[in-house]
Amino acid sequence: MSFELDVHTHTIASGHAYGTLTEMAKEAAARGLKLLGITEHSHCMPGTCNDLYFVNLRVVPREMFGIRLMLGAELNIMDYEGAVDLPDRIIDRLDLRIASIHTNLYRVGTTQQNTAAVLGAMKNPKIDIIGHPDDGNCPLDYEQIVRASKEYHTLLEINNNSMRMPSRKNARENITVILNLCKKYDVPVIMNSDAHFMTDIANTDHSMPVVEQTDFPKELILNYSVEKFEAYIAENRAKEKESGK
Ligand SMILES: [Zn+2]
Ligand SMILES: [Zn+2]
């Protein structure tokens, strides 16, 4: 069984990534994926595209080289309420919405404040995934976060990139904690490469060993089935509509 999807990647539009959208899609197809998600950084990240980039994504076909493309954003969580840095009218146009804390843009608070920030984003019916909730520089209460993932139907990401970034602290330990809690509460996760170049698409060289060590059930990893992942996102859109937001 192999992965059918990787839904957190960046292109040159993000300012510090190096492949074009076409190159990324082509490589994802060559690697046997069925779905690639491209999620550029939103505007508070230095050097990334402006909001108009997201507004105009409709011009890009959602199928290239025989695979499905989902185009979205990795939004920045900006405060302890979980506010994100794109207006709703732009988020509404995105196929995929990841919200992440980046410590260059967010003032790290107490564990309680940081947890409130992530919970705020999880409660936002427009957000699908919390990106790399594993950075020990920004401590979180994982028990609360994992329970919220189930309650608010927002995926937690197991980010391959985090474990090799020296700037992120205790990522491996924190990912172990997250996986063990997800196993305990029967909560699905999404494993993403966070690729900033084609060669890194669908890379799990750091994350898979942790998944294996924790004996994490395959049924709870959404990457094995496009159908399961799409159903998860469709449920989010239905909930969003219901919420009237
Ligand atoms: Zn990020
Ligand atoms: Zn990213």
Side-chain angles (χ1 to χ4, degrees), residues 80-145:
Y80 303 144
E81 272 84 58
V84 289
D85 63 344
L86 279 179
D88 285 355
R89 66 183 165 77
I90 294 181
I91 299 177
D92 288 343
R93 293 167 177 263
L94 303 174
D95 305 338
L96 207 55
R97 304 88 178 258
I98 300 177
S100 308
I101 285 181
H102 295 107
T103 49
N104 56 327
L105 301 171
Y106 166 90
R107 209 178 68 185
V108 175
T110 62
T111 302
Q112 205 178 357
Q113 286 169 322
N114 303 331
T115 303
V118 173
L119 290 178
M122 294 176 95
K123 285 178 198 169
N124 181 342
K126 295 189 188 294
I127 301 300
D128 299 314
I129 297 171
I130 298 298
H132 48 76
D134 51 37
D135 184 359
N137 291 306
C138 181
L140 298 173
D141 179 341
Y142 290 121
E143 176 87 21
Q144 283 194 59
I145 300 286

Side-chain angles (χ1 to χ4, degrees), residues 19-35:
T20 65
L21 188 148
T22 308
E23 289 166 337
M24 295 290 283
K26 199 171 183 178
E27 180 63 21
R31 289 179 177 231
L33 291 187
K34 292 185 179 167
L35 166 67

Side-chain angles (χ1 to χ4, degrees), residues 8 10 41 74 100-102 132 168 194:
H8 180 174
H10 300 270
H41 287 289
E74 181 182 10
S100 308
I101 285 181
H102 295 107
H132 48 76
R168 291 194 187 143
D194 201 356

Side-chain angles (χ1 to χ4, degrees), residues 17 23 40 46 52 84 112 117 121 132 152-153 156 171 185 189 192 218 227:
E23 289 166 337
E40 312 294 3
L52 204 51
V84 289
Q112 205 178 357
H132 48 76
Y152 303 114
H153 206 260
L156 298 176
Y185 293 115
V189 298
N192 288 321
K218 271 195 169 165
E227 204 181 315

